[in-house]
Amino acid sequence: MEEGFRIWANPSSPHAEGRKAKAALEDARERVKRALGWDGEVIFTSGASEALALGLQRCKAKRRIVSAVEHDAVFRAAPDAQVYSDDITIGADDILAIQHVNSETGVVNPVGQMIETIRPTGALVLSDCSQSAGKRDLPNADMLVISAHKFGGPIGIGALLVRDFALLEPMGGHERGYRQGTENVAGAIGMAAALEAGPWNTSSKERKNFALSLGNPVLSFGEQADYIFALAHPTMSAQALLIRLDAMGFAVSAGSACSSGTLKKSRVLDAFGVDDDTASRTIRVSIGWNTTSEELERFAEAWRSLA
């Protein structure tokens, strides 16, 4: 990022400094594509929320369909979307938004299988991969959404990965005319570097052993990522847990980070069928790229002391 900050110019400017910034931006774009194994296009954004809005609002589909457990940013981006149910027939004029890994529970959705089922209809699939990019193989969707800070990159940079620009209505401005606003060169370089940084401090085996050590309080709804867990305490409220664990040096949340300051029941937990009482005692624990095995052991001890 220091390299990017030294390139002060607008990458859309035609002068020499602008061309230098443009070259750095395009290099970062190719590095991101290579790191993710993506052979389509990459539109840099300010984060996942903007990428979701761009993909859902600018796509050429006539109807938006979303799963009930999507992030709130999806519902803000497509307020008129229909929530998917077995009664809905998906067709060529539709786009379906289905997240890859749920941000509150760590549930891994079978996006690949869904794409195979939906693709013959001609419908588009957008998958929110904010919680899986840089951690798991990505699904072969028409559009993918990623956010750099979820895999150790800087805050304020993300991307919409789109199979073909023809799927979107252009809006003019930057990013080949598909996004407005001067590009964040330093952020793009930082995102590329984070994707290339290598393995996490904790291994997958250590993370899975950590989940097993927590025992029954882990809410499980299917295939589970090994770095996001929903934990329900037997008696203590989520807000009390946040305060106690914060005092012990652990940063956890209730619901998604975007809505953890509210006292309302998590819409996602409600969609998963979690009853109100259990939801009120549930927190989200996320393991980061720099979390150590010692920190996992300390958290397990702290959780047992509270339980």
Side-chain angles (χ1 to χ4, degrees):
M1 290 189 72
E2 290 178 349
E3 174 192 343
F5 284 128
R6 286 193 292 268
I7 306 171
W8 59 268
N10 186 328
S12 295
S13 297
H15 48 60
E17 292 297 329
R19 295 196 302 273
K20 182 179 177 181
K22 181 72 169 179
L25 182 71
E26 295 309 315
D27 179 65
R29 198 187 312 276
E30 291 304 314
R31 289 165 61 192
V32 168
K33 290 168 64 173
R34 186 163 54 249
L36 295 174
W38 179 253
D39 59 3
E41 309 291 348
V42 171
I43 301 172
F44 288 122
T45 66
S46 61
S49 293
E50 185 192 354
L52 286 165
L54 197 161
L56 288 169
Q57 294 171 10
R58 306 302 300 184
C59 71
K60 294 180 179 179
K62 295 181 180 178
R63 183 173 63 162
R64 279 73 174 153
I65 303 170
V66 303
S67 83
V69 296
E70 296 299 303
H71 192 281
D72 285 344
V74 170
F75 290 90
R76 289 193 294 267
D80 59 345
Q82 295 183 21
V83 176
Y84 177 77
S85 69
D86 291 336
D87 298 330
I88 294 179
T89 301
I90 297 177
D93 291 331
D94 299 331
I95 181 170
L96 172 66
I98 174 73
Q99 63 190 187
H100 193 196
V101 174
N102 187 271
S103 62
E104 295 185 35
T105 64
V107 169
V108 182
N109 287 313
V111 180
Q113 298 175 23
M114 297 181 70
I115 291 171
E116 291 181 6
T117 302
I118 292 170
R119 186 146 281 159
T121 69
L124 302 177
V125 178
L126 180 151
S127 186
D128 179 0
C129 297
S130 300
Q131 298 290 355
S132 59
K135 305 167 189 176
R136 305 175 66 95
D137 290 337
L138 300 182
N140 187 29
D142 300 289
M143 295 185 232
L144 305 177
V145 167
I146 66 172
S147 181
H149 72 272
K150 299 296 186 182
F151 47 79
I155 290 174
I157 184 74
L160 175 68
L161 282 57
V162 58
R163 185 68 59 196
D164 191 317
F165 281 137
L167 300 177
L168 301 173
E169 294 284 357
M171 65 173 67
H174 303 274
E175 290 296 275
R176 276 98 165 156
Y178 290 91
R179 183 205 180 232
Q180 297 177 342
T182 303
E183 293 95 338
N184 179 355
V185 176
I189 294 174
M191 178 160 68
L195 284 171
E196 297 166 344
W200 290 18
N201 280 348
T202 51
S203 68
S204 179
K205 182 178 180 180
E206 288 174 319
R207 298 195 297 269
K208 288 176 180 176
N209 287 341
F210 167 71
L212 291 173
S213 75
L214 296 174
N216 291 331
V218 179
L219 300 180
S220 182
F221 308 91
E223 184 185 354
Q224 184 77 33
D226 59 11
Y227 47 85
I228 302 175
F229 307 97
L231 303 183
H233 191 276
T235 58
M236 198 176 298
S237 72
Q239 296 301 317
L241 286 167
L242 263 60
I243 294 170
R244 294 284 293 275
L245 288 168
D246 183 54
M248 295 179 182
F250 300 103
V252 300
S253 63
S256 68
C258 300
S259 59
S260 60
T262 70
L263 297 178
K264 296 187 297 183
K265 179 183 179 183
S266 161
R267 180 187 50 74
V268 168
L269 293 181
D270 193 43
F272 273 114
V274 178
D275 64 86
D276 291 356
D277 178 59
T278 303
S280 71
R281 296 180 280 104
T282 298
I283 62 171
R284 181 186 72 165
V285 175
S286 302
I287 299 172
W289 61 275
N290 58 348
T291 304
T292 65
S293 56
E294 291 77 17
E295 288 170 332
L296 296 184
E297 292 172 5
R298 283 201 303 110
F299 181 87
E301 292 172 1
W303 181 259
R304 283 191 288 271
S305 74
L306 293 176

